[in-house]
Amino acid sequence: MNFWNNPVQFIAQWLTGVFTGWGMADWAASLLIQLIGVVVLVSMMMVIDIFLVWVERKVVARFQDRLGPNRVGPFGLIQPFADIIKLLIKEDITPDGADKIVYNLAPIMSLMSVLLLWAIVPLAPVIFGVDLNVGALYIIAAGAIGTLSIIMAAWSSNNKYALIGAFRQVAVLVSFEVPMIATLLIPTILAGSMGMNEIVARQDIWFVFVAPLAAIIFMITAIAELGRTPFDMNEAESEIVAGFHIEYTGMKFGLFYAGELLHAFTFGGFWAILFFGGYRLFGLENLGPIVAAVILFAKALFGYWIIMWIKYTLLRIRIDHMLAFNWKFLTPLAFVLLMVVALMNALLRGTSSGVYVLGMLLTNVVLGWIVIEILRLYSRKERERVDGPAAKTLEAHH
Amino acid sequence: MIPLSWYLILSAALFSIGLFGVLSRRNAVAILLGVELMLNAVNINLVSFWRYGDISTMAGQVFAIIVFAVAAAEVAVGLALVISVYRRRDTVIADEIDIMKW
Amino acid sequence: MTAMQIIFLVVGFIILGSALMVVTTRNLIHAALWLIVTLFGVAVLYALLNAGFLAVVQVVVYIGAIAILFIFAVMLTRKEMRDRGPQLNRGWWLSGIIAALTFGGLFWMLQAWNGFSKTAADFPSGFDAVGQLGNALVSPQAFVLPFEVASVLLLAALVGSVYVAFNRK
């Protein structure tokens, strides 16, 4: 193996040689190398996070028909560094009566819950953090830690508005985890394993062509988990100022903000892994692990762009409409979809791949059509209930 | 390696701490916290017996999953009851909820 | 002292220490947060016991749902943000004695058992624990009936708790 075939193992072996040459014991050398690997992965993610701030500001500007940052450096590329310097030199305020330890721990846990997710992302067939065989559930577990950090932040701020914002945000987060688990089970069924490496390895046909409805529902629940418009209860500025992070200034707010952007990019990455083939692109990933990682990042940026597109186009939904949408529409749909996909997968398992893909695609289209028909019936009844008497009196006048 | 006794002593200690919490706390929610500690101790016991016994029969892990479900159900109903009592009596101190009606 | 033993000692120390903080701290929100530390420690313990699925389910169910439910309940059952009054009732020394006796009794009973100090068999490689667990939960020869009964129990608890806690105006 050389550097281009397997960069991580190559560097690990070389470092082991260096460390044992310095006289370290074997287990100490491997522990140190694993720690260095963790630090390198986290640093890479944080550098990408800085780049994401620039991407976000440019894209939102273009959506709003303006240019975005273009003064600081070529195309405004140095702008995020200016933002970071501003956040670092701001005064670090702790509100009176705040619970100091919990107050300082909350932004750290919020960012931690995002960085934990990158441990299971397979960047290439040979570059991954850990090959966990329960990867799909691990995503939900890391989301649970994020939910916890929101409550900790709001409670320790000693502020009623923070608490109200956090209650609503946590209600949305916990509710939308249910359809997310159901849609995470669909790639699991199609691939036969919950591990991310296995799911990517089984995607000869991308799962978005086999279960497109699942991809759409996963995207909706992911946007709700991120706390982005149209589901952003924590930044409902017209309603509760700034939600659970009212009392945070300076770099602590920076951690929340950077964590949210990185979380969006991470979920773009998971959308790519679960439904769009991960690092696979018609065999191009066999050129080398670096090419595979670049392919994955490109797909993750595409998913991130779709999340941004939805954010800057749609309006915020009211909290009771949001929860009704989840419990009365998404959850039944997700579970029905899960049952239908499992049934069709078992029925079509032995057939050739063309028949399989067409069969599954057809069932998804039929299910989507049935859902739309039900929605049309429901909205027609609603319209008759609201407009009915008026239309009837109009008829009577004729 | 780690002998089974270590896990059993750990879960016995956790169970006793939970028992102390249940018997000595005044707030009803804190009593439920103690019950959660006891359920976790039981789960540690079940999973370590699965690991140190016959791994191919999954009875230990299945039992632990059923305990997860039971603990979740019990916490939900218990906390609903505590909230309902708070709305009527304006207190959650277990010593003050001592008459059926007045 | 192998690495696993050191990890076990650290994790055990964390679990017991935070459990003690749960039952003795005055601030109830802090008690719920210490419970979360205990639950994390137990999840790490499951991972040490090669039960990876249970470790992740522990985080999702206990920390992601039950602990948050506790924090909400603590916030909803108080008139002010601070806790007042003593938080241990009058007979707490008797509870301490009972707890110590329980631990002593369990320890004495267990150490008389001859399997008390056995060490673990090696975990067979290629053993698909998650797949086997899934099979056990839905196979008619295994545990499908308790599984279905547990789901009916959860449904009953869901309906019951919503009904009990519903705020009728």
Side-chain angles (χ1 to χ4, degrees):
Chain A
M1 98 178 101
N2 58 11
F3 178 72
W4 295 112
N5 268 352
N6 202 340
V8 174
Q9 290 288 70
F10 183 77
I11 296 181
Q13 263 190 353
W14 173 69
L15 277 176
T16 320
V18 166
F19 286 144
T20 47
W22 289 350
M24 246 192 230
D26 245 347
W27 62 269
S30 77
L31 185 65
L32 190 59
I33 289 172
Q34 281 167 358
L35 281 176
I36 291 176
V38 169
V39 169
V40 163
L41 180 66
V42 168
S43 320
M44 198 170 71
M45 284 308 127
M46 296 311 288
V47 168
I48 289 178
D49 203 0
I50 299 174
F51 171 64
L52 285 176
V53 174
W54 176 80
V55 167
E56 171 102 17
R57 290 183 65 166
K58 277 292 197 184
V59 167
V60 61
R62 292 290 169 163
F63 271 115
Q64 295 168 350
D65 204 18
R66 55 184 172 92
L67 285 177
N70 57 356
R71 298 228 172 251
V72 193
F75 295 109
L77 276 169
I78 320 281
Q79 179 72 40
F81 292 99
D83 282 341
I84 293 175
I85 296 176
K86 175 200 80 168
L87 285 172
L88 280 172
I89 61 180
K90 268 197 180 182
E91 182 187 356
D92 194 25
I93 304 175
T94 308
D96 199 20
D99 212 340
K100 283 201 177 36
I101 301 181
V102 180
Y103 181 78
N104 287 312
L105 202 52
I108 301 176
M109 280 189 60
S110 171
L111 192 55
M112 178 181 95
S113 79
V114 179
L115 290 172
L116 279 179
L117 282 173
W118 282 96
I120 58 165
V121 171
L123 296 172
V126 291
I127 305 180
F128 51 85
V130 77
D131 186 13
L132 206 56
N133 63 345
V134 284
L137 271 186
Y138 181 82
I139 300 176
I140 308 288
I145 301 178
T147 309
L148 199 62
S149 72
I150 292 177
I151 296 188
M152 282 168 58
W155 174 261
S156 59
S157 301
N158 203 15
N159 186 331
K160 275 192 278 289
Y161 298 106
L163 217 48
I164 296 177
F167 276 172
R168 302 199 306 181
Q169 179 70 13
V170 166
V172 166
L173 283 181
V174 167
S175 309
F176 277 89
E177 267 176 17
V178 177
M180 180 181 265
I181 295 183
T183 44
L184 273 175
L185 281 179
I186 291 179
T188 306
I189 291 177
L190 294 174
S193 158
M194 277 196 271
M196 292 290 136
N197 295 53
E198 185 72 23
I199 289 179
V200 175
R202 294 289 196 102
Q203 291 198 41
D204 294 321
I205 313 279
W206 290 356
F207 287 157
V208 70
F209 297 121
V210 176
L213 213 51
I216 296 174
I217 299 179
F218 181 73
M219 180 48 86
I220 297 176
T221 54
I223 296 179
E225 285 289 315
L226 293 169
R228 294 204 139 211
T229 327
F231 301 110
D232 64 342
M233 275 297 110
N234 63 326
E235 284 170 21
E237 256 133 17
S238 51
E239 299 172 30
I240 41 161
V241 192
F244 66 89
H245 51 73
I246 294 175
E247 299 280 354
Y248 284 92
T249 59
M251 204 54 204
K252 292 189 206 142
F253 170 74
L255 285 181
F256 274 122
Y257 183 62
E260 179 186 326
L261 292 183
L262 191 60
H263 206 178
F265 182 67
T266 311
F267 268 106
F270 276 115
W271 200 50
I273 292 175
L274 290 169
F275 294 104
F276 282 90
Y279 51 72
R280 298 176 69 154
L281 188 68
F282 309 116
L284 218 57
E285 72 273 7
N286 296 322
L287 283 180
I290 312 284
V291 177
V294 165
I295 293 175
L296 180 63
F297 278 133
K299 290 187 192 172
L301 274 177
F302 173 66
Y304 181 52
W305 182 76
I306 293 202
I307 294 177
M308 279 195 288
W309 185 14
I310 297 179
K311 170 170 181 166
Y312 294 119
T313 317
L314 292 179
L315 308 165
R316 187 181 310 125
I317 304 181
R318 218 172 66 185
I319 177 86
D320 55 337
H321 287 167
M322 215 188 282
L323 292 175
F325 174 67
N326 177 54
W327 291 114
K328 296 185 191 171
F329 178 71
L330 269 189
T331 309
L333 177 60
F335 281 118
V336 165
L337 183 67
L338 179 64
M339 285 192 287
V340 165
V341 165
L343 185 64
M344 295 308 292
N345 185 43
L347 284 178
L348 293 173
R349 198 199 309 250
T351 62
S352 76
S353 89
V355 172
Y356 179 75
V357 172
L358 272 178
M360 300 288 273
L361 193 58
L362 218 54
T363 43
N364 269 277
V365 167
V366 165
L367 198 60
W369 183 73
I370 292 176
V371 165
I372 293 180
E373 281 302 316
I374 294 178
L375 284 177
R376 283 178 63 189
L377 216 62
Y378 178 69
S379 67
R380 200 174 308 151
K381 264 195 292 204
E382 278 286 311
R383 209 175 309 134
E384 274 171 19
R385 186 174 64 89
V386 171
D387 295 339
K392 288 198 176 60
T393 50
L394 206 56
E395 300 270 327
H397 277 285
H398 284 285
Chain B
M1 296 307 293
I2 305 178
L4 178 60
S5 54
W6 289 20
Y7 286 104
L8 296 183
I9 295 176
L10 175 69
S11 73
L14 190 60
F15 188 83
S16 315
I17 294 175
L19 187 63
F20 173 69
V22 168
L23 292 176
S24 70
R25 294 278 261 180
R26 295 182 69 206
N27 195 319
V29 180
I31 295 178
L32 283 170
L33 283 173
V35 174
E36 282 310 302
L37 288 178
M38 291 202 280
L39 285 166
N40 269 293
V42 165
N43 258 340
I44 296 178
N45 236 350
L46 287 169
V47 178
S48 50
F49 272 119
W50 165 77
R51 174 69 175 91
Y52 282 72
D54 186 9
I55 298 183
S56 55
T57 63
M58 290 308 233
Q61 283 205 17
V62 171
F63 204 156
I65 287 186
I66 306 286
V67 172
F68 276 143
V70 168
E74 166 237 335
V75 162
V77 175
L79 287 176
L81 283 171
V82 166
I83 291 176
S84 180
V85 164
Y86 177 76
R87 284 211 189 106
R88 295 228 157 217
R89 303 290 180 90
D90 232 7
T91 176
V92 278
I93 310 289
D95 290 331
E96 296 173 14
I97 310 172
D98 56 352
I99 48 179
M100 293 288 260
K101 67 187 282 226
W102 68 100
Chain C
M1 270 294 179
T2 68
M4 293 269 283
Q5 291 185 338
I6 298 179
I7 294 176
F8 178 85
L9 285 175
V10 169
V11 169
F13 190 63
I14 290 176
I15 290 177
L16 291 178
S18 49
L20 273 172
M21 292 303 293
V22 170
V23 296
T24 55
T25 182
R26 164 179 292 267
N27 188 342
L28 262 189
I29 293 281
H30 282 182
L33 292 177
W34 281 117
L35 180 74
I36 290 174
V37 176
T38 313
L39 296 172
F40 256 126
V42 175
V44 174
L45 212 62
Y46 290 153
L48 269 181
L49 284 167
N50 295 113
F53 181 73
L54 278 185
V56 184
V57 169
Q58 162 96 355
V59 176
V60 173
V61 168
Y62 265 108
I63 299 176
I66 293 182
I68 292 182
L69 198 55
F70 266 113
I71 295 179
F72 271 66
V74 167
M75 288 185 200
L76 286 175
T77 55
R78 57 177 52 200
K79 286 197 280 293
E80 52 196 36
M81 305 268 258
R82 306 259 165 254
D83 299 282
R84 55 190 165 85
Q87 31 90 357
L88 293 177
N89 58 27
R90 271 185 331 175
W92 66 269
W93 51 272
L94 189 59
S95 325
I97 293 179
I98 292 178
L101 279 179
T102 309
F103 176 65
L106 282 170
F107 179 67
W108 176 75
M109 198 176 61
L110 283 172
Q111 55 96 22
W113 175 51
N114 66 342
F116 190 49
S117 299
K118 75 169 148 183
T119 54
D122 281 331
F123 201 70
S125 71
F127 180 71
D128 183 18
V130 180
Q132 292 272 8
L133 180 62
N135 264 333
L137 281 174
V138 295
S139 143
Q141 288 88 9
F143 301 100
V144 68
L145 189 58
F147 187 54
E148 299 299 328
V149 169
S151 44
V152 174
L153 170 72
L154 282 171
L155 178 66
L158 170 71
V159 173
S161 57
V162 167
Y163 184 74
V164 165
F166 198 65
N167 204 359
R168 286 172 215 85
K169 292 283 191 285

